[in-house]
Amino acid sequence: LSPAYRDYVLENIIPGNLYDSIREKSVVVPNGINPFFLKNKYRKYELKDNNTIKLIYIGSFIKRKNINILVTVAKMLKNLGYNIKLFIVGGNGKDEYKIRKLVKENKDIIETYNRIKEKEKLLDMYKKADIFVMPSRNETFGLVYIEAMSQGLPVIYSKGQGIDGYFEDGEVGYSVNPNDANDIVKKIEMIINNYSKISKNCYNMVEKFSWENIARTYYNIY
């Protein structure tokens, strides 16, 4: 499903004497994005103001999604002088009470929204934001990264998880250590300083996740 998980399997599960032969015939094929997002692609050409930054997280309120560190990151960015807003969209999960409590304590920099099922409303949320952040502790793939890219949003994702390995660092965003708030802040600032180019890459490169391209890959394999 991803380069990160291919490498994990090869390095931790496949016997050493089979490594080369298995790697040679391994093919990484991603999940596909709903065609709706590709039909409604949107590019953000630049930030209106490099000091006003809107981050967005979309997903469930569970421990592995690591939402609490996003609050820490938002507070750190505020202390650095940014006019920061963190949109947290979602709900459900064992960490919901903790997240709601954190939100109440930081209402000046956080806005929460219940889970959004309507794709049109999701588009509106993505368009309100500047950068998508989801530094999960573990992530099999994470289609929300790709949805965000379709709306021109650079993405922050975890090293060795999810979509890591599909892109060069700095191409559509940055991989981060999910437990290091300083690393996440640094990578967000790197995106801010090169926003237009990264947003353009997101807009252009999201097509590789169309079901048409993925179906063709499977067809060629078989």
Side-chain angles (χ1 to χ4, degrees), residues 33 35-48 120 122-131 145-154 195-196 198-207:
I33 189 174
F36 172 85
F37 290 98
L38 296 179
K39 286 175 187 171
N40 292 278
K41 285 202 308 179
Y42 178 79
R43 183 186 162 196
K44 292 176 77 76
Y45 284 87
E46 58 187 15
L47 291 169
K48 290 178 182 174
E120 292 80 6
L122 267 179
L123 283 188
D124 291 339
M125 283 306 307
Y126 284 125
K127 285 175 184 172
K128 275 178 68 170
D130 302 311
I131 300 170
Y145 297 116
I146 314 305
E147 288 178 6
M149 282 174 54
S150 77
Q151 301 307 300
L153 295 191
Y195 192 87
S196 182
I198 296 174
S199 177
K200 181 181 177 182
N201 288 342
C202 290
Y203 182 88
N204 291 333
M205 294 182 175
V206 73
E207 291 292 340

Side-chain angles (χ1 to χ4, degrees), residues 207-218:
E207 291 292 340
K208 71 160 69 177
F209 300 97
S210 75
W211 277 114
E212 187 178 334
N213 288 334
I214 291 164
R216 191 177 300 115
T217 301
Y218 276 116

Side-chain angles (χ1 to χ4, degrees), residues 57 59-63 65-71 86 88-106 110-113:
Y57 163 87
S60 50
F61 291 0
I62 53 178
K63 190 173 183 180
K65 294 291 187 178
N66 213 17
I67 300 170
N68 59 321
I69 205 165
L70 296 183
V71 179
L86 171 61
I88 298 178
V89 183
N92 301 330
K94 292 182 179 178
D95 267 18
E96 181 151 17
Y97 175 77
K98 289 180 186 174
I99 301 303
R100 300 284 182 200
K101 187 170 181 286
L102 265 177
V103 167
K104 271 187 184 176
E105 293 166 357
N106 297 277
I110 302 175
E111 286 182 19
T112 53
Y113 299 83

Side-chain angles (χ1 to χ4, degrees), residues 149 153-157 163 167-174 191 198-199 201-202 205:
M149 282 174 54
L153 295 191
V155 291
I156 294 288
Y157 50 93
I163 64 168
F167 307 99
E168 296 292 325
D169 233 20
E171 205 166 32
V172 300
Y174 288 94
I191 287 174
I198 296 174
S199 177
N201 288 342
C202 290
M205 294 182 175

Side-chain angles (χ1 to χ4, degrees), residues 1-2 4-5 57-58 60 62 64-66 132 134-145 157-164:
L1 193 59
S2 71
Y5 277 90
Y57 163 87
I58 297 178
S60 50
I62 53 178
R64 71 176 178 86
K65 294 291 187 178
N66 213 17
F132 181 84
M134 191 169 80
S136 305
R137 291 191 174 97
N138 54 71
E139 192 69 55
T140 311
F141 186 74
L143 273 175
V144 279
Y145 297 116
Y157 50 93
S158 299
K159 284 178 184 169
Q161 303 291 328
I163 64 168
D164 189 28

Side-chain angles (χ1 to χ4, degrees), residues 4 11 13 25 31 42 50 52 59 78 90 99 121 125 129 131 157 164 169 175-176 188 194 199 211 220 222:
E11 290 162 16
I13 297 171
K25 61 183 179 180
N31 281 329
Y42 178 79
N50 279 19
T52 300
K78 181 187 175 185
I99 301 303
K121 289 183 179 176
M125 283 306 307
I131 300 170
Y157 50 93
D164 189 28
D169 233 20
S175 62
V176 296
I188 287 172
N194 199 19
S199 177
W211 277 114
N220 290 336
Y222 283 104

